[in-house]
Amino acid sequence: MIYCFFKLLPTKKKITMISRQSNKKTVDFMLLEKKIIEKSPEYKVVVLCKELKGGAKANLKNKVGYAFHCVRQMYHIATSKIVVLDSYCILISVLKHKKNLKVIQMWHSMGTMKKFGYQILDKEEGSSSKIANSMKMHKNYTYVFASGKAYASLLEEGFNCGMDKIQIFSLPRVDLLTSKTYKEETRSKIEERYPEIKVKKNIVYCPTFRKNEEDFNKKVKEIIEKIDKEKYNLILKLHPLSKVEITENNIINDKEFSTMDMLMVADYVISDYSCIIYEAAILEIPLYFYAFDLQKYLDTRGLTIDYQKELPGVVSKTIDPIIAAIEKGEYNKEKLRAFREKYIENIENTTEKIVDFIFSII
């Protein structure tokens, strides 16, 4: 009823961006907003970013707060020409919109390894079919952006949408990853905070989040113990939701910079199922994959790629072969480039290309 009232209001020269990824503007939204205003200053850009901590299991306070936020969303959706998303938006999926509204799903990940959305319905880490159907999960998208054709087929499955809706565009953040100025400025800031980064080679460990962290806690401590601190700086970039407590003082347990920013000082990256590997691939940083719980992950979540064969680096269930490979100093950059080119086809002027597309469909 509230939305029906808002739909009576006139559509404005306005583009609204909505995210549940954080409570502040994401880097992709900031870049997009800046470029839209630069190219068409007559358009108003509204950015609405708010997390619903706990999701469907959120406490009453968070739910009430998000409900008021939803009223703001309804007003701006109803009076905008374009809505850009980077995550699932309840109101976009469940409501009936004006016929002239265009909705772009610019998913927050450059690529994927983990199954998501409709690929994992009724699995341990997925939504139930009942909830997905009642919430019309990922419906009402006019277009879905994918960084490459190989990624497009995975998004088609995850969103349960047709390939005709998918457009090949990399995320705006690629413009930062390929900017020499941004890399130098970011590296300078990190070196000012951590001067030791200038002295030794830097290994960045950026694992994905696990709900059960008991085994993970032990594995993190094992990495800390086994990497030679005389030769390398070990930089931990744990997931913001991780509750693993690190007491060792001979490593860098950073919580000030983003993982993407830390790539600017990385000589090597160790990950597992995190999609940060696509950003690292653009920067051509040697990648290594510490998958100590691979079979468990396959059973509870599932992966979209052939993990053992396709990834461009050593894949191991123990840390020793990875350390040995780093020590050896040999790496197949050609395989890394082929991996990047398969999933990320376009890495030039990405923000401008997206903005040009947006104005072509208004």
Side-chain angles (χ1 to χ4, degrees):
M1 289 175 64
I2 294 170
Y3 191 57
C4 285
F5 170 76
F6 284 140
K7 284 198 294 182
L8 296 174
L9 299 173
T11 300
K12 301 178 180 180
K13 285 189 173 183
K14 180 168 65 177
I15 296 169
T16 295
M17 304 181 199
I18 300 174
S19 177
R20 290 201 304 165
Q21 289 299 107
S22 70
N23 291 320
K24 60 183 181 179
K25 291 180 186 179
T26 64
V27 65
D28 292 315
F29 279 1
M30 284 191 287
L31 291 168
L32 208 54
E33 178 185 27
K34 181 180 178 182
K35 184 61 69 173
I36 290 169
I37 293 170
E38 176 188 310
K39 299 196 80 168
S40 296
E42 73 275 17
Y43 269 80
K44 181 180 180 180
V45 179
V46 176
V47 183
L48 303 174
C49 298
K50 188 173 178 64
E51 292 177 286
L52 176 56
K53 291 186 178 180
K57 297 179 181 178
N59 61 40
L60 182 60
K61 181 181 178 182
N62 287 342
K63 284 180 178 178
V64 170
Y66 200 80
F68 281 105
H69 178 71
C70 283
V71 175
R72 286 188 67 204
Q73 285 188 15
M74 281 190 281
Y75 168 74
H76 289 294
I77 293 170
T79 55
S80 294
K81 291 191 173 185
I82 300 281
V83 172
V84 181
L85 310 174
D86 71 352
S87 45
Y88 170 64
C89 176
I90 298 168
L91 298 177
I92 286 294
S93 290
V94 302
L95 296 175
K96 186 175 181 179
H97 307 288
K98 291 179 179 178
K99 290 182 179 180
N100 63 347
L101 178 70
K102 303 290 195 308
V103 178
I104 296 171
Q105 175 57 265
M106 189 179 71
W107 196 241
H108 56 271
S109 174
M110 196 85 69
T112 187
M113 283 195 290
K114 298 172 281 191
K115 290 186 176 181
F116 73 102
Y118 284 90
Q119 293 175 316
I120 55 169
L121 287 185
D122 301 318
K123 287 195 174 183
E124 185 176 327
E125 294 206 11
S127 302
S128 72
S129 298
K130 185 177 179 181
I131 290 176
N133 291 331
S134 64
M135 300 300 288
K136 299 180 181 179
M137 190 169 71
H138 296 307
K139 300 302 180 186
N140 292 332
Y141 300 155
T142 314
Y143 298 102
V144 173
F145 287 176
S147 299
K149 293 183 182 69
Y151 187 27
S153 60
L154 304 177
L155 289 177
E156 179 191 23
E157 295 174 10
F159 293 140
N160 192 30
C161 68
M163 283 294 288
D164 58 312
K165 292 188 174 184
I166 297 180
Q167 301 287 320
I168 305 301
F169 290 105
S170 297
L171 294 176
R173 74 184 77 149
V174 174
D175 288 337
L176 295 183
L177 291 168
T178 55
S179 166
K180 183 180 179 181
T181 301
Y182 180 79
K183 184 172 184 177
E184 290 175 350
E185 289 176 351
T186 304
R187 185 180 183 97
S188 178
K189 290 176 185 176
I190 296 172
E191 287 177 347
E192 186 178 349
R193 174 64 181 84
Y194 303 111
E196 62 268 38
I197 278 175
K198 294 183 283 186
V199 181
K200 294 178 280 188
K201 293 285 188 179
N202 301 305
I203 300 173
V204 175
Y205 178 44
C206 43
T208 196
F209 176 66
R210 293 161 173 83
K211 290 182 179 179
N212 185 344
E213 292 193 311
E214 185 176 347
D215 289 340
F216 175 60
N217 189 25
K218 296 175 184 176
K219 299 300 181 182
V220 172
K221 294 185 185 303
E222 187 178 351
I223 291 176
I224 294 171
E225 178 186 333
K226 290 194 172 184
I227 286 179
D228 185 352
K229 314 308 182 308
E230 295 297 318
K231 295 175 66 175
Y232 305 102
N233 292 308
L234 176 60
I235 303 170
L236 292 187
K237 284 303 300 178
L238 302 180
H239 193 280
L241 295 177
S242 176
K243 292 182 172 58
V244 171
E245 293 185 9
I246 305 299
T247 56
E248 288 80 358
N249 57 14
N250 59 348
I251 62 159
I252 298 172
N253 182 22
D254 177 71
K255 296 181 181 178
E256 297 179 33
F257 298 92
S258 71
T259 304
M260 189 180 89
D261 284 346
M262 271 300 174
L263 294 181
M264 303 304 163
V265 301
D267 295 293
Y268 315 94
V269 167
I270 301 175
S271 191
D272 42 29
Y273 323 111
S274 171
C275 293
I276 194 67
I277 67 164
Y278 294 96
E279 280 88 340
I282 290 173
L283 294 168
E284 296 192 358
I285 303 169
L287 287 164
Y288 303 87
F289 302 88
Y290 183 32
F292 61 88
D293 55 354
L294 178 57
Q295 191 55 54
K296 182 179 179 181
Y297 213 83
L298 288 169
D299 293 340
T300 59
R301 180 70 181 252
L303 298 173
T304 59
I305 64 177
D306 190 329
Y307 196 86
Q308 300 278 12
K309 293 181 180 179
E310 193 171 352
L311 292 179
V314 173
V315 176
S316 178
K317 293 182 179 179
T318 60
I319 194 62
D320 295 319
I322 292 172
I323 294 174
I326 292 173
E327 291 277 0
K328 193 174 181 182
E330 297 177 1
Y331 190 84
N332 189 341
K333 284 286 185 79
E334 288 302 315
K335 187 174 182 180
L336 180 64
R337 292 188 191 103
F339 177 79
R340 193 277 295 168
E341 289 168 3
K342 178 178 179 179
Y343 289 99
I344 308 168
E345 296 182 17
N346 192 333
I347 59 170
E348 294 180 353
N349 301 318
T350 56
T351 308
E352 185 164 10
K353 288 174 181 176
I354 289 172
V355 172
D356 287 344
F357 175 78
I358 287 173
F359 284 109
S360 75
I361 63 173
I362 287 180

